[in-house]
Amino acid sequence: MVEQSPVTGVPVLEMSGIRKVFPGVVALDGVDLRLQPGEVHALMGENGAGKSTLIKVLTGVYDIDGGQIRLAGQDVHFSGPLPAQQAGISTVYQEVNLCANLSVAENILLGREPRQFGRIRWGQTRRRARELLQRLDLDLDVSAPLGAYSLAIQQMVAIARAVDIDAKVLILDEPTSSLDASEVAQLFAVIRRLKAQGVAIVFVSHFLDQVYEIADRMTVLRNGRLVGEYRTAELPQMELVAKMIGKDLATLEDLEQQPRETTARIERGEALVQAEDLGRKGGIEPFGLSIHPGEIVGLAGLLGSGRTELARLLFGADRADEGRLKVDGKAVTLRSPRAAMNRGIAFSSENRRTEGIVGDLSVRENIILALQASRGWMRPISRRRADELVGKYVKALDIRPADPDRRVRDLSGGNQQKVLLARWLITEPRLFIVDEPTRGIDVGAKAEIQRLVAELADGGMAVLFVSAELEEVLRLSHKIEILRDRRLVEELENTEAVDADRIMQTIAGGQSPS
Amino acid sequence: MSKNLLSHRLFWPFAVLVLLLVLNIFFSNNFFRITVHDGHLVGTLIDIARRSAPLILVGVGMTLVIATGGIDLSVGSVMAVSGALACLLIGDLSDPHSVAGVLGAVLLALLLCLVLGVWNGFLVSVIGIQPIVATLILMVAGRGLAQLITDGQILNVSSDPYRVIGAGYFLALPVSVLIAAAVVLIASLLTGRTALGLLLQAVGGSPAASRLAGIQARGLTWLVYVIAAVCAGIAGLIYSSNVASADSNAAGNLIELDAILAVVIGGTALTGGRFSLSGTVLGAVLIQTLNVTTVSMGIPVEATLLFKAIVVVVLCLSQSPAFRERVFSRRKPALTKEAAA
């Protein structure tokens, strides 16, 4: 039997026995979801557990193959996203689904602009947009193109848009994955306000701390099945994780602990990569940095502090306009990613979907892409060799489904990330720059990727590990570089004395004691 | 099993092709009859294949260009240039029937087309002009160039070796069909056996991701425009050889649109990425069959374009997943519940 937490009153939304089948896969099987008005309900589960599918069913994107959806006690059937929206179900997706070239106001009110005789009333549109943003405590120029703002702001705009629709159910799919701490607090304030107004909020996030901070109840899914429905207050965090991944607690703690132990001290000889006053105008102020073989260098800092910009300079993805870069002690100029690859540098981008995978290509094709690119088109990797390499990494990284012919687009986020890592690992890089490899993926895959990074460094590979999560940086790194306002402000040896508070202090701009 | 067949990408275009062929039985006698005449295969089907050859050639180049997310509007003009130069050079030969002389003329014409392809590729991949604009330049200028070559006249040539390209037979088969088949084969090997196909699809599918994966798109993009121009050049030779003249206005007129249509019918998206050479060949044959069918059905000349348009609309609808879902799905129409405000 599935566990249930007692609820009182009529649920605003009740899904029961939901079944959804894709060719060859049962994505959802007998899943229930009950939402009370004025609650924050977390939908929990690993990647591929069926969270996204359930949300798409709820928002009318997918049709169901079985089960029932009742909205305010009445059976409903949504034939598409629009009827679902009109019925009061709004969604903010993980990746911002707005038009960067349109203005903020246009984005917020797209399709619902105040009109008069079919003509859009721009003045009123802008005023209305400004009001909506004020509800979120945001002060933006609503006439500016959305693309001029950071990803975090764009996310808030997406929420403003969703809130404008008279929402009974608001679904937030990974809303915080690109927000920094203060922005998260701001978002939570908005969520609480909406909750007080009686909106039922579905909150999907991989950040467990945030779930525990904001959610009243939660529904846990695993492998497309319902595990149970719980009150947040009654389910300890570790127990939740155990339910999500279906392993017992001991195994889990083991998984969490392992990386830190493998991260032993290392001896530093000649630097593999050394940056001297390297910088790029508008990207990152000149910085100095050295990375040695077998060393994990963590890059910490807030969103927009220049982490990615620094990483891109080392990979030649952007060109430095000042300073020097030495690889193996020899000065080099990286004019393109290819030049960096030729020197054994690999880079996995934080924008998995737009700069990482090629969605239409298969898992196999995506994995061999970088190796093939460096060989040139005239020297193809033989089918046998490709199968061998792909098979090895699909197995080693536990990429699911383990079907090399599957289109990468159809894989879950965590598995796409693994495909991306595999693409670079088969090139056998000497320095692997990983930018936010664990963002938006589940605990299980996250622990696996962390362990992988530690193992790679053990094997002599240098790793530049970029992450917004301090705990992760602390657990893995030998050396931590801290960025603030596009400047590298401090370098710390990761000794016992260093903890998250110490790093936060630097990030926040406080005086460092040393 | 039948379901797999139905969901195959090329099922619907293939079905339309078969339908058109069957339709022809009622309108023309002996439509499917192929006889041997003077050691040549002769018949309407052979004729369709022969007339499809230039479109197939142009379509192959266009497919590769479209795979990178580009487009080449200049192929028709390149056809005109290639025919014009070949005819001019052959006309200047002391002996227009000399095989070596004709071969030289043909190679020079193709060389010029290659240079034109380099020009297109340069504008797109180095200068960074949008493909539709960059190739529009040569679309207009190319026809001008062809007219300059022919001095604004229609150049007639009488050369047996040259005639072979468009109207000759080898082993009972039309040479033009053999040339098209060879080019398709070479293109398939080039894209399938090397990594060219994979890299082109990656560049077309996601330019940003491809760059970060270390693919240097410039050379690849440049290459496909060169291939497209050379393919168009060969098509131009076939066309001009078949009519034994160079007509700068008629050669390859509007063929770029038919080629784009053939590519789309073949299931290659105009946005780039996945491409299918066999699909393009099917599309080209389909378009040519359609042309023949309008004639054999006795559709009046003034209504031909309209008839073609209708078939193309039906074809495009048959390939649209959304449309198929609506028409063929036996599901009850979805009920939508409006929320009580």
Side-chain angles (χ1 to χ4, degrees):
Chain A
M1 264 314 286
V2 165
E3 298 172 61
Q4 284 207 331
S5 62
V7 281
T8 50
V10 184
V12 58
L13 178 103
E14 195 168 10
M15 301 172 87
S16 50
I18 300 296
R19 183 177 166 83
K20 175 72 198 168
V21 183
F22 291 114
V25 196
V26 180
L28 292 175
D29 190 10
V31 171
D32 304 342
L33 178 67
R34 296 183 299 163
L35 301 178
Q36 298 293 326
E39 75 162 340
V40 178
H41 193 110
L43 189 57
M44 306 298 297
E46 283 191 287
N47 288 320
K51 299 187 305 269
S52 302
T53 313
L54 188 64
I55 288 174
K56 285 189 174 149
V57 164
L58 179 54
T59 51
V61 177
Y62 291 155
D63 210 350
I64 47 175
D65 297 313
Q68 212 178 21
I69 305 176
R70 293 165 73 87
L71 194 63
Q74 283 187 303
D75 275 353
V76 289
H77 181 108
F78 300 126
S79 54
L82 195 61
Q85 254 182 42
Q86 283 163 348
I89 298 176
S90 284
T91 319
V92 174
Y93 284 104
Q94 179 171 4
E95 324 268 342
V96 179
N97 277 329
L98 298 176
C99 312
N101 55 336
L102 297 186
S103 76
V104 170
E106 284 169 312
N107 268 295
I108 293 179
L109 292 162
L110 196 64
R112 303 187 302 267
E113 303 92 345
R115 284 165 206 252
Q116 190 179 37
F117 309 124
R119 190 182 64 88
I120 294 174
R121 304 178 62 183
W122 290 111
Q124 207 179 327
T125 303
R126 282 191 288 273
R127 210 159 35 242
R128 176 115 189 82
R130 225 170 281 130
E131 281 166 20
L132 284 160
L133 288 170
Q134 266 157 19
R135 272 174 78 181
L136 307 192
D137 263 349
L138 279 179
D139 185 24
L140 306 182
D141 175 7
V142 294
S143 317
L146 183 71
Y149 290 102
S150 70
L151 210 59
I153 297 292
Q154 294 185 24
Q155 180 89 49
M156 303 295 260
V157 170
I159 290 168
R161 173 179 169 78
V163 168
D164 176 50
I165 305 170
D166 190 20
K168 291 191 175 54
V169 175
L170 176 64
I171 301 162
L172 301 174
D173 189 0
E174 292 286 351
T176 58
S177 59
S178 47
L179 305 190
D180 66 31
S182 74
E183 288 165 329
V184 169
Q186 210 177 356
L187 172 66
F188 281 6
V190 173
I191 291 179
R192 290 196 180 100
R193 210 167 307 160
L194 292 171
K195 179 176 140 178
Q197 291 165 13
V199 180
I201 293 153
V202 179
F203 186 79
V204 183
S205 174
H206 285 106
F207 298 105
L208 296 185
D209 294 339
Q210 294 177 1
V211 169
Y212 273 84
E213 187 184 338
I214 194 82
D216 304 304
R217 292 192 306 138
M218 50 178 74
T219 292
V220 181
L221 304 180
R222 187 171 69 234
N223 293 332
R225 287 168 182 278
L226 180 65
V227 176
E229 184 187 75
Y230 312 90
R231 284 187 182 285
T232 314
E234 292 162 8
L235 187 70
Q237 198 159 329
M238 281 313 270
E239 236 172 85
L240 166 66
V241 173
K243 287 189 192 302
M244 280 164 61
I245 66 175
K247 285 181 185 143
D248 57 46
L249 287 174
T251 336
L252 199 68
E253 274 160 4
D254 210 33
L255 222 73
E256 287 272 304
Q257 282 310 314
Q258 203 160 352
R260 201 192 259 282
E261 284 162 18
T262 51
T263 311
R265 299 289 102 203
I266 59 152
E267 293 189 8
R268 297 199 177 97
E270 192 197 22
L272 174 63
V273 170
Q274 186 159 15
E276 292 168 3
D277 297 323
L278 199 67
R280 179 184 164 87
K281 284 200 181 62
I284 176 101
E285 301 279 315
F287 63 92
L289 172 67
S290 62
I291 308 173
H292 298 80
E295 182 177 40
I296 303 177
V297 178
L299 227 50
L302 297 177
L303 198 81
S305 61
R307 298 182 315 229
T308 298
E309 288 78 1
L310 189 157
R312 287 175 67 94
L313 282 192
L314 295 184
F315 186 59
D318 295 326
R319 223 181 284 183
D321 48 22
E322 54 190 308
R324 280 169 308 282
L325 184 68
K326 287 182 183 168
V327 178
D328 298 320
K330 280 196 282 282
V332 294
T333 312
L334 300 179
R335 287 207 171 74
S336 67
R338 179 72 155 277
M341 282 165 68
N342 291 342
R343 293 178 174 81
I345 303 174
F347 171 66
S348 135
S349 166
E350 62 170 340
N351 298 319
R352 194 159 53 219
R353 236 175 35 160
T354 54
E355 294 187 338
I357 56 154
V358 183
D360 271 340
L361 296 185
S362 68
V363 170
R364 174 191 297 109
E365 290 168 324
N366 266 284
I367 290 181
I368 64 169
L369 200 56
L371 184 61
Q372 185 61 66
S374 61
R375 288 166 65 102
W377 63 269
M378 274 171 273
R379 292 171 52 226
I381 300 165
S382 75
R383 177 67 182 224
R384 221 184 61 202
R385 175 114 178 86
D387 280 340
E388 204 177 292
L389 284 167
V390 171
K392 180 175 153 199
Y393 280 97
V394 164
K395 201 164 156 228
L397 301 183
D398 191 21
I399 293 171
R400 279 177 285 180
D403 173 8
D405 292 313
R406 186 66 70 99
R407 279 198 322 177
V408 160
R409 182 185 300 266
D410 301 334
L411 267 57
S412 68
N415 283 303
Q416 290 179 353
Q417 183 66 52
K418 289 179 185 174
V419 166
L420 202 49
L421 293 177
R423 174 192 294 173
W424 289 111
L425 291 179
I426 68 169
T427 66
E428 296 175 356
R430 294 188 299 151
L431 168 63
F432 195 179
I433 305 168
V434 281
D435 195 356
E436 296 282 6
T438 62
R439 180 200 285 174
I441 68 174
D442 65 72
V443 261
K446 198 167 182 168
E448 282 173 42
I449 287 173
Q450 290 172 3
R451 189 166 41 177
L452 177 77
V453 167
E455 280 168 9
L456 291 172
D458 267 356
M461 194 184 290
V463 179
L464 184 65
F465 189 83
V466 185
S467 174
E469 259 185 82
L470 286 183
E471 289 73 21
E472 195 174 62
V473 173
L474 272 168
R475 189 180 305 148
L476 287 169
S477 313
H478 298 108
K479 193 166 79 180
I480 300 173
E481 310 286 333
I482 305 169
L483 291 114
R484 185 178 66 227
D485 298 337
R486 301 185 180 273
R487 269 183 36 219
L488 181 59
V489 289
E490 196 179 8
E491 176 177 298
L492 282 176
E493 287 293 327
N494 190 7
T495 57
E496 303 299 320
V498 175
D499 60 11
D501 287 341
R502 168 76 183 76
I503 296 174
M504 273 312 289
Q505 212 175 8
T506 310
I507 288 176
Q511 292 299 313
S512 56
S514 53
Chain B
M1 207 181 87
S2 66
K3 200 175 175 183
N4 282 341
L5 191 67
L6 266 175
S7 60
H8 190 277
R9 235 165 1 100
L10 295 181
F11 176 82
W12 289 103
F14 192 73
V16 171
L17 177 61
V18 170
L19 189 77
L20 282 176
L21 290 174
V22 170
L23 208 60
N24 274 292
I25 297 179
F26 301 107
F27 295 102
S28 80
N29 293 327
N30 307 329
F31 184 77
F32 286 99
R33 198 168 78 187
I34 295 175
T35 53
V36 181
H37 186 76
D38 284 347
H40 306 157
L41 291 178
V42 181
T44 316
L45 289 181
I46 298 294
D47 209 39
I48 289 176
R50 215 160 65 85
R51 291 188 194 196
S52 306
L55 186 54
I56 290 175
L57 285 165
V58 173
V60 164
M62 189 69 82
T63 307
L64 299 183
V65 170
I66 287 179
T68 64
I71 202 147
D72 187 350
L73 296 182
S74 70
V75 283
S77 298
V78 172
M79 274 180 73
V81 169
S82 117
L85 185 62
C87 288
L88 179 76
L89 292 174
I90 291 168
D92 286 348
L93 288 175
S94 53
D95 172 18
H97 298 291
S98 117
V99 174
V102 168
L103 208 60
V106 161
L107 287 179
L108 276 175
L110 290 181
L111 190 68
L112 178 58
C113 294
L114 188 136
V115 172
L116 294 177
V118 169
W119 164 255
N120 274 339
F122 174 77
L123 290 184
V124 173
S125 68
V126 181
I127 308 285
I129 302 178
Q130 284 181 355
I132 196 164
V133 177
T135 57
L136 192 63
I137 296 171
L138 190 58
M139 177 182 174
V140 177
R143 230 166 255 292
L145 178 60
Q147 279 165 349
L148 280 179
I149 293 174
T150 60
D151 227 359
Q153 310 291 314
I154 294 179
L155 279 185
N156 294 305
V157 292
S158 153
S159 160
D160 293 337
Y162 189 57
R163 248 332 242 164
V164 168
I165 300 173
Y169 284 83
F170 180 70
L171 297 175
L173 288 168
V175 171
S176 57
V177 174
L178 293 174
I179 292 176
V183 169
V184 170
L185 185 72
I186 292 169
S188 311
L189 289 178
L190 196 63
T191 52
R193 289 297 172 86
T194 72
L196 188 61
L198 170 65
L199 298 187
L200 287 179
Q201 294 181 26
V203 169
S206 175
S210 303
R211 176 167 178 269
L212 286 186
I215 298 174
Q216 286 172 323
R218 178 178 292 179
L220 292 169
T221 308
W222 206 332
L223 181 65
V224 291
Y225 284 93
V226 173
I227 294 176
V230 171
C231 284
I234 301 173
L237 292 176
I238 290 177
Y239 177 87
S240 125
S241 152
N242 193 34
V243 295
S245 69
D247 181 342
S248 303
N249 291 315
N253 191 26
L254 294 182
I255 201 172
E256 57 279 351
L257 298 184
D258 272 349
I260 293 168
L261 182 61
V263 172
V264 172
I265 289 173
T268 303
L270 285 180
T271 46
R274 284 269 175 227
F275 67 88
S276 163
L277 287 172
S278 53
T280 299
V281 172
L282 180 62
V285 173
L286 177 60
I287 291 171
Q288 203 51 53
T289 308
L290 187 58
N291 289 339
V292 170
T293 309
T294 53
V295 175
S296 75
M297 279 174 72
I299 289 174
V301 180
E302 59 271 24
T304 311
L305 289 176
L306 195 61
F307 175 76
K308 275 177 75 175
I310 292 169
V311 175
V312 168
V313 167
V314 169
L315 191 69
C316 290
L317 283 178
S318 76
Q319 282 189 301
S320 146
F323 180 80
R324 287 212 303 255
E325 173 112 343
R326 292 221 165 172
V327 175
F328 298 108
S329 154
R330 264 172 290 163
R331 224 178 38 199
K332 281 175 290 180
L335 297 169
T336 309
K337 201 93 191 174
E338 292 285 317

